[in-house]
Amino acid sequence: MAVSERVKRMVRVDQAGEYGAVRIYAGQLAVMGDRGPHSAKIREMEAQEVDHRAWFDRLIVERQGRPTALQPIWHVAGFALGAATALIGPEAAMACTAAIETEIDKHYTEQLAELGDEDPELAGLIEKARDDEREHRDTALANGAERAPAYPLLSGAIRLGCRLAIKLSERI
């Protein structure tokens, strides 16, 4: 099966995003531990992100792609973002999730439109991941994301960073 460069790019950026999500939750849990008010919810979301990452790890190999060369940066940056937002407080950790998942929802929706019928398996996994990410966003909002200190600024900065990470991971 010949795999288009577009599909390889999609798998690369999606794997990078799920990798980053796992690192963000690891950073949050490193600060909050199991005693934080949202720790159980974060662990649940983290487990789903681990599954998503495994899907895209597999697809990188099957679609003859490659991970982003920026993965070492996302390793550190994801953990640091998670830890920093958790240090601000539980609502800031939820604001981080809400902001990122808002951008990822848009990103996955755009990918599905671009992909069309080219790769039904990939489309199915993107759709499932997008539905989970929407659930994460809704969970974060229901658990106080908008009560985080300077929420509009925090959310806007994280969303901008997320868009930048997507663009960079698509290319590098």
Side-chain angles (χ1 to χ4, degrees), residues 2 92 97 136:
T97 294
H136 297 172

Side-chain angles (χ1 to χ4, degrees), residues 67-78:
T68 176
L70 299 171
Q71 192 160 317
I73 294 169
W74 302 154
H75 182 83
V76 173

Side-chain angles (χ1 to χ4, degrees), residues 27 35 48 72 83 136 147:
R35 297 181 315 213
Q48 287 181 313
H136 297 172
R147 293 192 308 267

Side-chain angles (χ1 to χ4, degrees), residues 30-108:
V31 170
M32 292 194 288
D34 289 330
R35 297 181 315 213
H38 306 307
S39 294
K41 290 184 186 340
I42 290 170
R43 285 215 185 276
E44 289 172 19
M45 293 186 290
E46 178 188 42
Q48 287 181 313
E49 303 295 4
V50 166
D51 288 344
H52 299 169
R53 179 180 167 204
W55 301 342
F56 292 112
D57 284 348
R58 176 180 59 82
L59 288 178
I60 280 180
V61 173
E62 290 176 1
R63 303 301 190 274
Q64 300 98 37
R66 63 166 178 81
T68 176
L70 299 171
Q71 192 160 317
I73 294 169
W74 302 154
H75 182 83
V76 173
F79 190 90
L81 177 59
T85 55
L87 284 167
I88 294 168
E91 288 82 12
M94 290 291 110
C96 178
T97 294
I100 287 173
E101 302 302 22
T102 296
E103 290 302 320
I104 298 305
D105 178 13
K106 288 171 47 179
H107 168 71
Y108 280 156

Side-chain angles (χ1 to χ4, degrees), residues 3 44 112:
V3 179
E44 289 172 19
L112 287 169

Side-chain angles (χ1 to χ4, degrees), residues 90-92 94-96 98 137 139-149 151 154:
E91 288 82 12
M94 290 291 110
C96 178
R137 179 198 58 220
T139 296
L141 291 169
N143 283 277
E146 294 171 309
R147 293 192 308 267
Y151 174 75
L154 180 64

